[in-house]
Every structure is written in C-alpha cells, then in structure tokens.
Amino acid sequence: VLSRYFHATMLSALARRAVPATANRLSSVAATGGARRSMGSAQSIHIDTPDNTVETKFDFNEENYKRVEMILSKYPANYKQSGIIPLLDLAQRQNGGWLPVSAMDKVAQIVGSAPSRVYEVASFYTMFNRTKVGKYFIQLCGTTPCMICGSEDIKQTITKHLGIKNGETTKDGLFTLLEVECLGACANAPMIQMNDDYYECLTPETMIELLEACKKGSPPPMGKWGSLPMNGQVSCEGPLGKTSLFDEPGPVPISEGRFDEGKVDPASVKEHMAY
C-alpha cells in the first residue's frame, strides 16, 4: 500500500511541476498560429482522470491469464521482467487500445518489479497509449517521403471528413488521429497505420472510402503481404507487376563434413559458412 501511495504521490508531483511548462509550450504554439507540427509523442507524465487513477481496477481476464502464462514461460523465472513489453501490449489490447495506470501496476505485480519500472517502459515506447484512443486509431505518417507524395492532403481529408484535428478523437469514440514519424512504408507513400494495419498508396478519395468502411464496421481486409495498397497494386510491385523472383529460392547447398578437421581456412570461410 505504501509503495502504491509513493508512486501515486510521485506521479502527481511530476504532473504539478509539468503543468506550467506544458501551458507555456501551448501558449507559444498559439502565438505562432499553431503552425508547429505536433508529431507522435505523448507526455511522459501521468495526470489523473476519472477513469485512470491508481485506484481504478484492472485485471486480465481468464483467457488472457493463459496468455500471460505463455508469455512468462519464454523467460527464466528470475527474468520475468523481460515480459513487460508483451504483457503491456496484452493489457492494452484487452483495455480497448490504451493503458491505464492500474494496468501498468498489474503488469508490475505479475513480473515482480517496481511500478516505476513499468511506467518507464510504457512512457518510452510510442506503441503504448496512456490515454484513451478511438476504436480506429489512425497514425498518419508525415515524414518526408509521405509528405512529398501528399500526406498533407490525406491529413486535411481526414480532419475535414471526421471533424477532428491532430491528436483529437471523434465524439462517437470511433476515430483518433495522430501524425507520427516514419512508419517504414515509404515505397507506398502516402500511408496510414490504423490499429495494427497499414493502408498505403492513399488518395483523398480512397481515404474517405476507408473511413466510411470503418464507420460501417467493415474495414477492408489486409492483402497477401500484410498491408493493403488502396490503388489495387500488390505490396510494393510497380505498374508492370511482378518482374523478378518468380520462383522460391531453394536451400543453400552445404557440403557435408565441412568442419570435420576442426579448422576453417580464412580464405574459404564464406564457402564453409554457406554464403
């Protein structure tokens, strides 16, 4: 109990110290007409809300406790803290896409660590959302390749169609929009990540089609390679389609007895290592 009180007090103190600084930053943005880009970063502090305090109840359901056991079975008993990241991800998925403090405390209890250790992880990785997000969490890539290919048009389409700005959630709780840094799909720019899925090669028209499909509860399924270019192409194939790698490569030939003598000639090391 004392430990929980200490961590709650520490977080509240940090929040009180950070509020003036946050207000100053917001004032400076307002003074410049809000022109500064707000990329995918969250505050590293916790501020209590009615549904997110250390007293809020969270526990894994029966099905997820089985997953907890499976996750921890991958690590030695004295290294349970190695499971913090997958356990946080599991908690976030159970809780509708975000992590309350009580979920972090539960993970800390399971792995036997101080809650502050779990807070450090959750506040460091952008994959963890410590405030509520919509059912469809849209992360819009705004880095150079996507920007050059029209990400600003996609951003304006989303904000106009949904009536929200960067960092906001629609009143019905369906959509949250957040502009982020590179998501690694530059060949198919512009693109968004929505929850776990990549939608690529977007235009304002296909972006609206995607949003409307989500409103109906039926977002387009992913393609063969785990993403969906919205222009009909397959993965990163160009306008000519697939032009190479038509056959699956066979296994690398490895000579038997290559280490029988216990020595490897440096001049032929690549051959011995099957390069």
Side-chain angles (χ1 to χ4, degrees), residues 15-31 36 43 45 47:
R16 288 194 298 273
R17 291 173 59 189
V19 166
T22 302
N24 289 337
R25 288 196 299 271
L26 291 175
S27 297
S28 65
V29 172
R36 292 170 59 180
Q43 291 183 350
I45 62 172
I47 299 177

Side-chain angles (χ1 to χ4, degrees), residues 99 137 265:
L99 281 173
F137 180 31
D265 179 5

Side-chain angles (χ1 to χ4, degrees), residues 17-243:
R17 291 173 59 189
V19 166
T22 302
N24 289 337
R25 288 196 299 271
L26 291 175
S27 297
S28 65
V29 172
T32 58
R36 292 170 59 180
R37 286 178 75 200
S38 176
M39 301 305 291
S41 59
Q43 291 183 350
S44 59
I45 62 172
H46 168 74
I47 299 177
D48 279 353
T49 58
D51 55 359
N52 189 8
T53 69
V54 292
E55 288 80 21
T56 306
K57 298 298 182 183
F58 175 88
D59 200 0
F60 288 107
N61 57 38
E62 183 177 351
E63 181 180 359
N64 278 341
Y65 261 118
K66 294 178 182 178
R67 294 189 173 99
V68 169
E69 294 176 3
M70 181 185 69
I71 290 169
L72 294 181
S73 69
K74 300 177 181 179
Y75 310 105
N78 58 330
Y79 284 100
K80 291 193 294 183
Q81 293 184 26
S82 300
I84 287 177
I85 290 178
L87 290 177
L88 285 174
D89 180 66
L90 184 64
Q92 179 166 276
R93 292 176 186 277
Q94 177 178 311
N95 198 58
W98 70 287
L99 281 173
V101 172
S102 55
M104 302 182 221
D105 288 343
K106 173 57 66 173
V107 170
Q109 176 189 346
I110 289 173
V111 302
S113 76
S116 57
R117 295 296 187 186
V118 179
Y119 303 159
E120 291 169 352
V121 175
S123 61
F124 180 82
Y125 291 102
T126 57
M127 65 183 281
F128 297 123
N129 307 309
R130 291 176 291 108
T131 55
K132 275 188 175 180
V133 296
K135 179 180 179 180
Y136 299 105
F137 180 31
I138 302 171
Q139 297 180 77
L140 168 70
C141 179
T143 313
T144 307
C146 278
M147 182 177 66
I148 292 173
C149 293
S151 66
E152 284 299 312
D153 293 336
I154 302 303
K155 180 180 177 180
Q156 291 174 15
T157 298
I158 296 172
T159 57
K160 182 178 179 181
H161 195 72
L162 297 180
I164 56 174
K165 297 179 181 179
N166 183 35
E168 295 181 347
T169 300
T170 55
K171 293 181 179 179
D172 58 8
L174 270 183
F175 298 96
T176 296
L177 172 63
L178 185 65
E179 186 175 357
V180 299
E181 294 291 357
C182 184
L183 292 170
C186 310
N188 286 353
M191 57 82 63
I192 64 166
Q193 177 181 343
M194 189 160 64
N195 298 341
D196 292 331
D197 299 329
Y198 276 24
Y199 293 92
E200 305 163 345
C201 302
L202 293 166
T203 64
E205 293 75 22
T206 56
M207 187 67 240
I208 291 175
E209 290 176 10
L210 177 58
L211 294 175
E212 288 300 312
C214 292
K215 287 181 180 181
K216 297 175 182 178
S218 55
M222 289 292 95
K224 177 181 179 182
W225 303 110
S227 65
L228 185 64
M230 296 293 286
N231 63 351
Q233 75 181 42
V234 178
S235 187
C236 297
E237 293 179 6
L240 298 179
K242 192 170 184 177
T243 59

